[in-house]
Amino acid sequence: MKMEPQNHTQVANGNIKIWEIFYYLGIGVVFVGIVLLVFNNWASLNTTTRVIVTLGSGIGASLIGILLRHDKNLNPLVNSLLFVSGILTPVGLIILFESVGIASNKNLYQTIIYMVCLSFFSLLAWKFHLRLLSFFIVAFASLLFYTVSELITQEWGYKDHVFYPSSMGFIIGVSYLLLAYHFSKGVYHYLATYLNIVGINSILAFAHILAWEYRANLIWEIPVTLATLALIFISTSIKNRIFLVFGALYFLNSIIRITSTYFPEGYSWPIALIFIGLTLTIVGYIVFHLKNKGLNNHSQSLNNLSEHI
C-alpha cells in the first residue's frame, strides 16, 4: 500500500500553516525590535524623527500591506502589517499634534485623531476589501464616541459620579451587541464573537457597578440580579454560550454582593459559597445541555478567525 506523504507545514487542524506562524513571529519580532530601539533612544530623537518612526511607519505598513494583498500566500504578512499600522498610526498622530502645540484641549485633539484614523481605515477597508481593518474601525469608532461625549459634556458637573462612565459603557455595549447581530450572518461574522464578549460585559458591568454603588437599595438590587439570572436562561433559547458564561459570572457577583450586604459577617461567606456551588452546578448542566445539542457556533468562529480574514 502506497503511503501518502504527510504535510508537515500545517498544524493538526489544518487551519494554521507553519509558514504562517513564521510570518506572524517575524513581523512580531521586528515590531518589538523597533519599539525597543525607539524607546531606548527616544530622548535623543527630534520631533521629525519621532513622527516618521511612528506615523510614517504606520502609513508605510498599511501601504505595503495593500500592495501585497493580491498574493493569498502573503495574507498573514498583510494582516501583520495592517495590525502594526493600526497601532502606530494613532500614536504617530498624537506625537504630531503635540509637536505642533495643538494638544492643549485633550478631548478635542483626541477626537480629531480618532476621526482621522476612522476615516483612513474605513477608506482602506472599503476600497481594498481588507477585513482585518474592521477590528480597528470598531475600535476607533468607540473611542471617537467616547471623546466626542467627553467634549460635549466636559463642563457638566456630575461626570465624576460612577454613573457617567458606566452609562457610556452601557451604550457602547448595546451598540456592540447590535453590530454582532448584524455581522453574525455576513462576511464579518468572525467579529460577532468578540463584539458579543465586549458588549455583554459592558452592559453587565454597568448594571453591577451601580448595584455595588447602591448596595442595600432593593429598587436597584432586585432588577439587576433577576435580569442577570434571566440572561442565563435566555442564552439557552438564543443559543449563545457567551451570554451564558458571562451571565453566570455576573450572577455569582450578585450572590457575593447580596450575602455580604444582608447577612451577618460570620454567615455571609458560607452562604455565598452554597449559592455559588448551586449556581455552578446549574450552569454546568446548561453548558452540558448546549454541548449535546451541538451549539458550538461561537467557539468555531474563534478557531477559524485566521482563514476568514
Side-chain angles (χ1 to χ4, degrees), residues 17 33 63 173-174 188 201 240 266 277-279:
K17 300 179 178 62
L63 294 178
V174 172
Y188 297 107
N201 266 292
N240 193 313
L278 292 174
T279 304

Side-chain angles (χ1 to χ4, degrees), residues 2 12 58 151 179 207 227 247 290 303:
K2 185 178 179 180
L151 190 62
L179 281 175
L290 289 177
N303 297 329

